[in-house]
Amino acid sequence: MKVINNIFFYIIVFLLVGYILIVSISPERMMNVIGYRAFIVLSDSMEPKIKVNDLIFLKEAKENNLDIGDIITFKVYIQEYEEEEYVTHYIGDIITINSKTVYKTRSINLDEDQFDQWLDKDGELIEITFDDIEGEYWIRIPYIGYIQKLFKDNYGLVFILVLGSVGYHFLKPTKLKETDL
């Protein structure tokens, strides 16, 4: 039984180290390598379904399986940030323009007959195609973004280290002697 536990432990460690390496070196290749990718949600455009600081996992999207109402994550230029970012929204409609499939997206705040208007760097209207889609929403884990922020913030990291040290000091196992019983 101990051998099985050790094997299981090393498999988990190997997978976690592999995941961390891929995320650290080339996060944009996660979907290609394992078929899943994680993002921390930064805006409230999908609340209450998906909230700010939720961790969402995407699975690889299959073009033939996408349907109206599905939640997808895609990359578009965001004028406020002046760079391309990933956005997670509903598919509001699927249409064909010049023999190309186009996905009309919408946030949860828009009516069913309203769609997002995406612009490129030059302010020209663009359409979302399958090539822009990173993946399809799979699951979410609430509040993980707050933990990530603690690790990115120096004060939060110090707080975690101090809390861990204090916790270890009070909770560390002590060896009992026969006289202590």
Coordinates of all heavy atoms in Angstrom, one line a residue, residues 50-102:
I50 N -20.4 34.1 -13.8 CA -19.0 34.0 -13.6 C -18.6 35.4 -13.0 O -18.8 36.4 -13.5 CB -18.2 33.8 -14.9 CG1 -18.7 32.5 -15.6 CG2 -16.7 33.8 -14.7 CD1 -18.1 32.3 -17.0
K51 N -17.9 35.3 -11.8 CA -17.6 36.6 -11.1 C -16.1 37.0 -11.2 O -15.3 36.1 -11.4 CB -18.0 36.4 -9.6 CG -19.5 36.2 -9.4 CD -19.9 36.0 -8.0 CE -21.4 35.8 -7.9 NZ -21.8 35.1 -6.8
V52 N -15.9 38.2 -10.9 CA -14.5 38.7 -10.8 C -13.8 37.9 -9.8 O -14.3 37.6 -8.7 CB -14.5 40.2 -10.4 CG1 -13.1 40.7 -10.2 CG2 -15.2 41.0 -11.5
N53 N -12.5 37.5 -10.1 CA -11.6 36.7 -9.3 C -12.0 35.2 -9.2 O -11.4 34.4 -8.5 CB -11.5 37.2 -7.9 CG -10.7 38.5 -7.9 OD1 -9.6 38.6 -8.4 ND2 -11.2 39.5 -7.2
D54 N -13.0 34.8 -10.0 CA -13.2 33.3 -10.2 C -12.1 32.8 -11.1 O -11.6 33.4 -12.0 CB -14.5 33.0 -10.9 CG -15.7 33.2 -10.0 OD1 -15.5 33.4 -8.8 OD2 -16.8 33.1 -10.5
L55 N -11.7 31.5 -10.8 CA -10.8 30.8 -11.7 C -11.7 30.0 -12.7 O -12.5 29.2 -12.2 CB -9.8 29.9 -11.0 CG -8.9 29.0 -11.8 CD1 -7.9 29.8 -12.5 CD2 -8.3 27.9 -10.9
I56 N -11.5 30.2 -14.0 CA -12.3 29.4 -14.9 C -11.4 28.5 -15.7 O -10.2 28.9 -16.0 CB -13.2 30.3 -15.9 CG1 -12.3 31.2 -16.7 CG2 -14.2 31.0 -15.1 CD1 -13.1 31.8 -17.9
F57 N -11.9 27.3 -16.0 CA -11.1 26.4 -16.8 C -11.9 26.3 -18.2 O -13.1 26.2 -18.2 CB -11.0 25.0 -16.2 CG -10.1 25.0 -15.1 CD1 -10.4 25.2 -13.8 CD2 -8.7 24.7 -15.3 CE1 -9.5 25.1 -12.7 CE2 -7.8 24.6 -14.3 CZ -8.2 24.9 -13.0
L58 N -11.1 26.4 -19.2 CA -11.6 26.2 -20.6 C -11.2 24.8 -21.1 O -10.1 24.3 -20.7 CB -11.0 27.2 -21.5 CG -11.1 28.7 -21.1 CD1 -10.3 29.5 -22.2 CD2 -12.5 29.1 -20.9
K59 N -12.1 24.2 -21.9 CA -11.7 23.0 -22.6 C -11.6 23.4 -24.0 O -12.1 24.4 -24.5 CB -12.7 21.9 -22.4 CG -14.1 22.3 -22.9 CD -15.1 21.1 -22.6 CE -16.5 21.6 -23.0 NZ -17.5 20.6 -22.8
E60 N -10.9 22.5 -24.8 CA -10.7 22.8 -26.2 C -12.0 22.9 -26.9 O -12.9 22.0 -26.7 CB -9.8 21.7 -26.8 CG -9.4 22.0 -28.2 CD -8.5 20.9 -28.7 OE1 -8.0 20.0 -28.0 OE2 -8.2 21.0 -29.9
A61 N -12.3 23.9 -27.6 CA -13.5 24.1 -28.4 C -13.5 23.3 -29.7 O -12.5 23.3 -30.4 CB -13.8 25.6 -28.6
K62 N -14.6 22.7 -30.0 CA -14.8 22.0 -31.2 C -15.8 22.8 -32.0 O -16.9 23.0 -31.6 CB -15.3 20.6 -31.0 CG -14.6 19.7 -30.0 CD -13.3 19.1 -30.7 CE -12.7 18.1 -29.8 NZ -11.4 18.3 -29.5
E63 N -15.3 23.2 -33.2 CA -16.2 24.2 -34.0 C -17.6 23.6 -34.3 O -18.5 24.4 -34.2 CB -15.5 24.5 -35.3 CG -16.1 25.6 -36.1 CD -15.3 26.1 -37.2 OE1 -14.2 25.5 -37.6 OE2 -15.6 27.1 -37.8
N64 N -17.7 22.3 -34.5 CA -19.0 21.8 -34.9 C -19.9 21.7 -33.6 O -21.1 21.5 -33.8 CB -18.8 20.4 -35.5 CG -18.2 20.5 -36.8 OD1 -18.2 21.5 -37.5 ND2 -17.5 19.4 -37.3
N65 N -19.3 21.7 -32.4 CA -20.1 21.6 -31.2 C -20.5 22.9 -30.6 O -21.3 22.9 -29.6 CB -19.3 20.8 -30.2 CG -19.1 19.3 -30.6 OD1 -19.8 18.8 -31.5 ND2 -18.2 18.7 -30.0
L66 N -20.0 24.0 -31.1 CA -20.4 25.3 -30.5 C -21.8 25.7 -30.9 O -22.2 25.5 -32.0 CB -19.4 26.4 -31.0 CG -18.0 26.3 -30.4 CD1 -17.1 27.4 -31.0 CD2 -17.9 26.4 -28.9
D67 N -22.5 26.3 -29.9 CA -23.9 26.6 -30.2 C -24.2 27.9 -29.5 O -23.5 28.3 -28.6 CB -24.8 25.5 -29.6 CG -26.2 25.4 -30.3 OD1 -26.4 26.2 -31.2 OD2 -27.0 24.6 -29.8
I68 N -25.3 28.5 -29.9 CA -25.8 29.7 -29.2 C -26.0 29.4 -27.7 O -26.6 28.4 -27.4 CB -27.1 30.2 -29.9 CG1 -26.8 30.7 -31.3 CG2 -27.7 31.4 -29.1 CD1 -28.0 31.0 -32.2
G69 N -25.5 30.3 -26.9 CA -25.7 30.2 -25.4 C -24.4 29.6 -24.8 O -24.3 29.7 -23.6
D70 N -23.5 29.0 -25.6 CA -22.3 28.5 -25.0 C -21.4 29.7 -24.6 O -21.5 30.8 -25.1 CB -21.5 27.7 -26.0 CG -22.2 26.3 -26.3 OD1 -23.0 25.9 -25.6 OD2 -21.8 25.7 -27.3
I71 N -20.6 29.4 -23.6 CA -19.6 30.5 -23.1 C -18.3 30.1 -23.7 O -17.8 29.0 -23.6 CB -19.6 30.5 -21.6 CG1 -21.0 30.8 -21.0 CG2 -18.5 31.5 -21.1 CD1 -21.1 30.7 -19.5
I72 N -17.7 31.1 -24.4 CA -16.4 30.9 -25.0 C -15.4 32.0 -24.5 O -15.8 33.1 -24.0 CB -16.4 31.0 -26.5 CG1 -17.1 32.3 -27.0 CG2 -17.2 29.8 -27.1 CD1 -17.0 32.5 -28.5
T73 N -14.1 31.7 -24.6 CA -13.1 32.7 -24.3 C -12.3 33.0 -25.6 O -11.9 32.0 -26.3 CB -12.1 32.3 -23.2 OG1 -12.9 32.1 -22.0 CG2 -11.0 33.3 -23.0
F74 N -12.2 34.2 -26.0 CA -11.5 34.6 -27.2 C -10.6 35.8 -27.0 O -10.8 36.5 -26.0 CB -12.6 34.9 -28.3 CG -13.7 35.9 -27.8 CD1 -13.5 37.2 -28.1 CD2 -14.7 35.4 -27.1 CE1 -14.5 38.1 -27.7 CE2 -15.7 36.3 -26.7 CZ -15.6 37.6 -27.0
K75 N -9.7 36.0 -28.0 CA -8.8 37.1 -27.8 C -9.2 38.2 -28.8 O -9.4 38.0 -29.9 CB -7.4 36.6 -28.2 CG -6.3 37.6 -27.7 CD -4.9 36.9 -27.8 CE -3.9 37.7 -27.0 NZ -2.7 37.0 -26.9
V76 N -9.3 39.5 -28.2 CA -9.6 40.6 -29.0 C -8.9 41.8 -28.4 O -8.4 41.8 -27.3 CB -11.2 41.0 -28.9 CG1 -12.0 40.0 -29.7 CG2 -11.6 41.2 -27.5
Y77 N -8.8 42.9 -29.2 CA -8.1 44.1 -28.8 C -9.1 44.9 -27.9 O -10.3 45.1 -28.2 CB -7.8 45.0 -30.1 CG -7.1 46.2 -29.7 CD1 -5.8 46.2 -29.4 CD2 -7.8 47.4 -29.7 CE1 -5.1 47.4 -29.1 CE2 -7.2 48.6 -29.4 CZ -5.8 48.6 -29.1 OH -5.2 49.8 -28.8
I78 N -8.6 45.3 -26.7 CA -9.4 46.0 -25.8 C -8.8 47.4 -25.7 O -7.6 47.6 -25.4 CB -9.3 45.4 -24.4 CG1 -9.7 43.9 -24.4 CG2 -10.1 46.2 -23.4 CD1 -11.2 43.7 -24.8
Q79 N -9.6 48.4 -26.2 CA -9.1 49.8 -26.3 C -8.7 50.4 -24.9 O -7.7 51.1 -24.9 CB -10.2 50.6 -26.9 CG -10.4 50.3 -28.4 CD -11.5 51.2 -29.0 OE1 -12.4 51.7 -28.3 NE2 -11.4 51.3 -30.3
E80 N -9.4 50.0 -23.8 CA -9.0 50.6 -22.5 C -7.6 50.2 -22.1 O -6.9 50.9 -21.4 CB -10.0 50.2 -21.4 CG -11.4 50.7 -21.6 CD -12.2 49.7 -22.5 OE1 -12.3 48.5 -22.3 OE2 -12.8 50.3 -23.5
Y81 N -7.2 49.0 -22.5 CA -5.8 48.5 -22.1 C -4.8 48.7 -23.3 O -3.6 48.5 -23.1 CB -5.9 47.0 -21.8 CG -6.8 46.7 -20.7 CD1 -7.8 45.6 -20.8 CD2 -6.8 47.3 -19.5 CE1 -8.6 45.3 -19.8 CE2 -7.7 47.0 -18.5 CZ -8.6 46.0 -18.6 OH -9.4 45.7 -17.6
E82 N -5.3 49.0 -24.4 CA -4.5 49.2 -25.6 C -3.7 48.0 -26.0 O -2.5 48.1 -26.4 CB -3.6 50.5 -25.5 CG -4.4 51.8 -25.4 CD -3.5 53.0 -25.3 OE1 -2.3 52.9 -25.2 OE2 -4.1 54.1 -25.4
E83 N -4.3 46.8 -25.8 CA -3.6 45.6 -26.2 C -4.7 44.5 -26.3 O -5.8 44.6 -25.9 CB -2.6 45.2 -25.1 CG -3.1 44.9 -23.7 CD -2.0 44.6 -22.7 OE1 -0.8 44.9 -23.0 OE2 -2.3 44.1 -21.7
E84 N -4.3 43.3 -26.9 CA -5.2 42.2 -27.0 C -5.3 41.5 -25.6 O -4.3 41.3 -25.0 CB -4.7 41.2 -28.1 CG -4.9 41.8 -29.5 CD -4.7 40.7 -30.5 OE1 -4.0 39.7 -30.2 OE2 -5.2 40.9 -31.6
E85 N -6.5 41.1 -25.3 CA -6.7 40.4 -24.0 C -7.8 39.3 -24.3 O -8.4 39.3 -25.3 CB -7.3 41.4 -23.0 CG -6.4 42.4 -22.5 CD -5.3 41.9 -21.6 OE1 -5.4 40.8 -21.0 OE2 -4.2 42.6 -21.5
Y86 N -7.9 38.4 -23.4 CA -8.9 37.3 -23.5 C -10.2 37.8 -22.8 O -10.1 38.4 -21.8 CB -8.4 36.0 -22.8 CG -7.3 35.4 -23.6 CD1 -6.0 35.5 -23.3 CD2 -7.6 34.6 -24.7 CE1 -5.0 34.9 -24.0 CE2 -6.7 33.9 -25.4 CZ -5.3 34.1 -25.1 OH -4.4 33.5 -25.8
V87 N -11.3 37.5 -23.5 CA -12.6 37.9 -23.0 C -13.4 36.6 -23.0 O -13.4 35.8 -23.9 CB -13.2 38.9 -24.0 CG1 -14.7 39.2 -23.5 CG2 -12.4 40.2 -24.0
T88 N -14.3 36.5 -21.9 CA -15.2 35.4 -21.8 C -16.6 35.9 -21.9 O -17.0 36.6 -21.0 CB -14.9 34.6 -20.5 OG1 -13.6 34.2 -20.5 CG2 -15.9 33.4 -20.4
H89 N -17.3 35.5 -23.0 CA -18.7 35.9 -23.2 C -19.5 34.8 -23.8 O -19.0 33.8 -24.2 CB -18.8 37.1 -24.1 CG -18.5 38.4 -23.4 ND1 -18.6 39.6 -24.1 CD2 -18.0 38.7 -22.2 CE1 -18.3 40.6 -23.2 NE2 -17.9 40.1 -22.1
Y90 N -20.9 35.0 -23.8 CA -21.8 34.0 -24.4 C -21.7 34.1 -25.9 O -21.4 35.2 -26.5 CB -23.2 34.4 -24.1 CG -23.6 34.0 -22.7 CD1 -23.7 35.0 -21.7 CD2 -23.9 32.7 -22.3 CE1 -24.1 34.7 -20.4 CE2 -24.2 32.4 -21.0 CZ -24.4 33.4 -20.1 OH -24.7 33.0 -18.8
I91 N -22.0 33.1 -26.6 CA -22.3 33.1 -28.1 C -23.7 33.5 -28.2 O -24.6 32.8 -27.7 CB -22.0 31.8 -28.8 CG1 -20.6 31.3 -28.7 CG2 -22.5 31.8 -30.2 CD1 -20.3 30.0 -29.2
G92 N -24.0 34.7 -28.8 CA -25.3 35.2 -28.9 C -25.9 34.8 -30.2 O -27.2 34.6 -30.3
D93 N -25.1 34.6 -31.3 CA -25.6 34.1 -32.6 C -24.4 33.6 -33.4 O -23.2 34.0 -33.1 CB -26.2 35.3 -33.3 CG -27.1 34.9 -34.4 OD1 -27.4 33.6 -34.6 OD2 -27.7 35.7 -35.2
I94 N -24.7 32.7 -34.3 CA -23.7 32.2 -35.2 C -24.2 32.4 -36.6 O -25.3 31.9 -36.9 CB -23.5 30.7 -34.9 CG1 -23.0 30.4 -33.5 CG2 -22.4 30.1 -35.9 CD1 -22.9 29.0 -33.1
I95 N -23.4 33.1 -37.4 CA -23.9 33.5 -38.7 C -22.7 33.2 -39.7 O -21.6 33.0 -39.3 CB -24.3 34.9 -38.9 CG1 -23.2 35.9 -38.5 CG2 -25.6 35.2 -38.0 CD1 -23.6 37.4 -38.7
T96 N -23.1 33.2 -41.0 CA -22.1 33.0 -42.0 C -22.0 34.3 -42.8 O -23.0 34.8 -43.3 CB -22.4 31.8 -43.0 OG1 -22.6 30.7 -42.2 CG2 -21.3 31.6 -44.0
I97 N -20.7 34.8 -42.9 CA -20.4 36.0 -43.7 C -19.3 35.7 -44.7 O -18.2 35.3 -44.2 CB -20.0 37.2 -42.8 CG1 -21.1 37.6 -41.8 CG2 -19.6 38.4 -43.7 CD1 -20.8 38.7 -40.9
N98 N -19.6 35.8 -46.0 CA -18.6 35.5 -47.0 C -18.0 34.1 -46.8 O -16.8 33.9 -46.8 CB -17.5 36.5 -47.0 CG -18.0 37.9 -47.4 OD1 -18.9 38.0 -48.2 ND2 -17.3 38.9 -46.9
S99 N -18.9 33.1 -46.6 CA -18.5 31.7 -46.4 C -17.7 31.5 -45.1 O -17.0 30.4 -45.0 CB -17.9 31.1 -47.6 OG -16.6 31.6 -47.8
K100 N -17.6 32.4 -44.2 CA -16.9 32.3 -42.9 C -17.9 32.3 -41.8 O -18.8 33.1 -41.7 CB -15.9 33.4 -42.8 CG -14.5 32.9 -42.7 CD -13.6 34.1 -42.3 CE -12.3 33.4 -41.8 NZ -11.2 34.2 -41.7
T101 N -17.7 31.4 -40.8 CA -18.6 31.3 -39.7 C -18.1 32.4 -38.7 O -16.9 32.5 -38.4 CB -18.5 30.0 -39.0 OG1 -18.9 28.9 -39.9 CG2 -19.4 29.9 -37.7
V102 N -19.1 33.2 -38.3 CA -18.8 34.4 -37.4 C -19.6 34.1 -36.1 O -20.8 33.8 -36.2 CB -19.2 35.7 -38.1 CG1 -19.2 36.9 -37.1 CG2 -18.3 36.0 -39.2

